[in-house]
Amino acid sequence: MNIHIKVISREISEYLWRAGETLSTAESCTAGSVSSAIAALPGASTYFRGGVVTYTNELKTLLLGVPETMLQEKGAVSEEVARAMVQGALQRLGTDYAVAVTGYAGPGGGPEASVGTIFVAVGNNESIDVRCLTGDDGREENVMRATATALQMLLERLKIDFPLTDE
């Protein structure tokens, strides 16, 4: 894990711990790297409930409740599926916040998107933010970029939802 990801994870930890909120993850192409970054810090069990890695469409439907029709119509690598993965993680893992990642890390792409296309979603029951990453820098770098983006998006969201107050 690189230092940038460690720093962001530590900040996320502080916000979640202080706010008493919980977090879950739903990952596809990142294969648990977001969960790993979150859980690497001591005390993560206070706020991190867990995550699922759903590489196949069948598991996206079975474990996260992503509608089969959505997967057929939009493809697994889409904004809609990323949003549905967040919603599924929130509901099925019972957390306040969730992070989801779905995409083509490489070496190949798919029918709906090229290699390096990755959708990252972060949200709660009120709203979900989604970003689309593009560009292929190789599988390892694509996964690292998606992981860092997911963590940065979560941190930005927590800073908005729980602003620090001067005492």
Side-chain angles (χ1 to χ4, degrees), residues 10 26 64 116:
R10 180 163 279 112
L64 297 171

Side-chain angles (χ1 to χ4, degrees), residues 105-130:
E112 72 273 21
S114 60
V115 64
T117 302
I118 300 172
F119 287 89
V120 180
V122 171
N124 58 22
N125 286 317
E126 283 76 48
S127 69
I128 299 170
D129 302 316
V130 182

Side-chain angles (χ1 to χ4, degrees), residues 89-166:
L90 289 168
Q91 293 168 1
R92 300 210 172 172
L93 298 175
T95 58
D96 301 304
Y97 288 86
V99 174
V101 183
T102 185
Y104 293 118
E112 72 273 21
S114 60
V115 64
T117 302
I118 300 172
F119 287 89
V120 180
V122 171
N124 58 22
N125 286 317
E126 283 76 48
S127 69
I128 299 170
D129 302 316
V130 182
R131 286 189 195 152
C132 179
L133 308 178
T134 57
D136 180 19
D137 294 319
R139 183 177 181 81
E140 188 176 332
E141 184 58 35
N142 293 344
V143 169
M144 188 66 64
R145 181 175 59 240
T147 300
T149 298
L151 295 170
Q152 187 63 48
M153 286 175 66
L154 176 60
L155 179 59
E156 290 168 7
R157 179 61 177 268
L158 293 170
K159 285 180 175 182
I160 290 169
D161 290 355
F162 306 103
L164 296 175
T165 56
D166 293 334

